[in-house]
Each structure stands twice: as structure tokens, then as C-alpha cells.
Amino acid sequence: MFFCQNNAALAAQKELSEKIEKYQYIDTLSSKDYLHYSISIKEGNIEMFDKNKKEHGRGGFSVYTYKTTSKPQKLLKSVHKQVVHYNQSKSQIQNSENIVITIFYDDNRKPDLAKITENHYTADEVLLSSLNYINLPKDIEESKKIIYTKEYLKGIIDHIFDEVKEVINRP
């Protein structure tokens, strides 16, 4: 039984590695590539309040959507950035977080792979820096059938599918 599970884990790791390699070129695209790709940008502010409605942080977000310029237009990736600076209080030092979720799409405009880069820092030091890849389920319904040992992972995947819905429904 352990041998079968180990083989399945190896196959899943191989599939994830192949997807990362497949989307490697698309991952290098930036807003400087606007001559060759259609790039739409959505930006806004973030204000965070505690339960007493006292502001305890602010920041901003942006969503960059990359598509081919050729017809039919192909959705390549969407990059969702969020930066929040938390206010200093008597019990807490000022710190910030920068989270970037890059979603790669297959040829059918379905989300296929997500890359999450997360940095938490103070003015003096980096507290946490992480890079994770998620081999996305085929759709949100399939995601609901998966048992997650880490509940926060289900929340992240649900958030990614919410972001996907917004990107796909935008003209």
C-alpha cells in the first residue's frame, strides 16, 4: 500500500514539475512586454480595520491580466498583487506583507497552475519569504471534493477561483 501511495506522490510531483516548466516562459512576461501582449491593469486601495472600526493597516492591490494579441485571443496569466502595511501599536511593531498570486491558464481559459510568492517584513528585517505552487483542481466543484489536511489551503484555492471568475468575466 505504501509503495502505491509513494508512486502516486511521485507521479503528482512529476506533473507539477512539468507544469512549472511549461509555464516558465509565460511567468517571465512583465508589463514591459506590452508591444507583444495585451495587458489590462486594475488597481485599488486597501484599508484594514479591527473589530472596533479602528484602522490598523492600509495598502494597495493590482491585477495584471496578460493575453495574446492574435485572434482568437488567448488568456495566458493573471497576476494578483497585494501589499498591506500594518500600523504600529503598543503591543506590535509595524510590519508589512506583500503577496503575489500568479495564475496560469490552459488553452481553454481554465486555471491550471498557481504560483504564490509571500513576503512579510519589518523596516529592519525579512520575517518570512515563501514561494509555493498549487496544481489547481479542474474547477471549484472538484476542489470541494478534496479533503484538505490544512484548512487554510482550501481557503487559498477558493480565493484563487474567486479571482479567476473575475478575470474571465472581465471583457
Side-chain angles (χ1 to χ4, degrees):
M1 174 112 140
F2 176 74
F3 181 72
C4 292
Q5 290 175 336
N6 196 26
N7 279 345
L10 288 174
Q13 183 61 47
K14 182 179 181 209
E15 178 186 355
L16 180 60
S17 296
E18 287 171 353
K19 281 187 179 184
I20 292 168
E21 188 174 325
K22 172 184 171 183
Y23 293 112
Q24 194 170 22
Y25 173 73
I26 293 172
D27 194 25
T28 65
L29 298 178
S30 72
S31 57
K32 296 175 187 170
D33 297 310
Y34 65 90
L35 293 175
H36 306 288
Y37 300 95
S38 169
I39 303 170
S40 63
I41 303 170
K42 176 182 172 186
E43 296 177 323
N45 297 320
I46 297 172
E47 294 178 334
M48 301 187 73
F49 298 90
D50 63 15
K51 62 184 176 186
N52 299 323
K53 298 187 180 179
K54 179 182 175 192
E55 183 183 300
H56 69 102
R58 59 178 43 223
F61 72 90
S62 59
V63 178
Y64 293 78
T65 305
Y66 295 77
K67 297 177 181 178
T68 59
T69 54
S70 59
K71 300 289 181 190
Q73 215 173 30
K74 180 179 168 186
L75 178 59
L76 301 172
K77 73 174 180 176
S78 56
V79 181
H80 309 259
K81 299 179 181 187
Q82 172 181 313
V83 177
V84 176
H85 305 287
Y86 296 98
N87 299 338
Q88 185 173 352
S89 68
K90 292 177 185 173
S91 62
Q92 296 176 322
I93 60 172
Q94 182 175 3
N95 65 89
S96 302
E97 68 180 13
N98 180 0
I99 300 172
V100 179
I101 300 174
T102 304
I103 304 167
F104 301 96
Y105 297 86
D106 67 13
D107 291 337
N108 298 314
R109 298 174 57 95
K110 300 279 187 198
D112 197 29
L113 179 71
K115 174 180 148 184
I116 302 173
T117 308
E118 192 170 352
N119 292 296
H120 295 262
Y121 51 92
T122 66
D124 301 324
E125 64 184 337
V126 174
L127 303 172
L128 167 84
S129 183
S130 66
L131 171 64
N132 294 289
Y133 289 93
I134 299 175
N135 189 3
L136 294 170
K138 289 182 180 33
D139 55 40
I140 193 69
E141 295 306 316
E142 183 179 307
S143 175
K144 291 177 183 176
K145 297 174 187 174
I146 298 172
I147 297 171
Y148 295 96
T149 56
K150 298 185 183 215
E151 190 60 32
Y152 73 89
L153 184 57
K154 181 182 180 343
I156 291 171
I157 291 174
D158 288 347
H159 174 74
I160 288 170
F161 276 102
D162 286 343
E163 295 288 341
V164 164
K165 195 182 322 176
E166 186 177 320
V167 166
I168 289 177
N169 291 332
R170 192 177 322 135

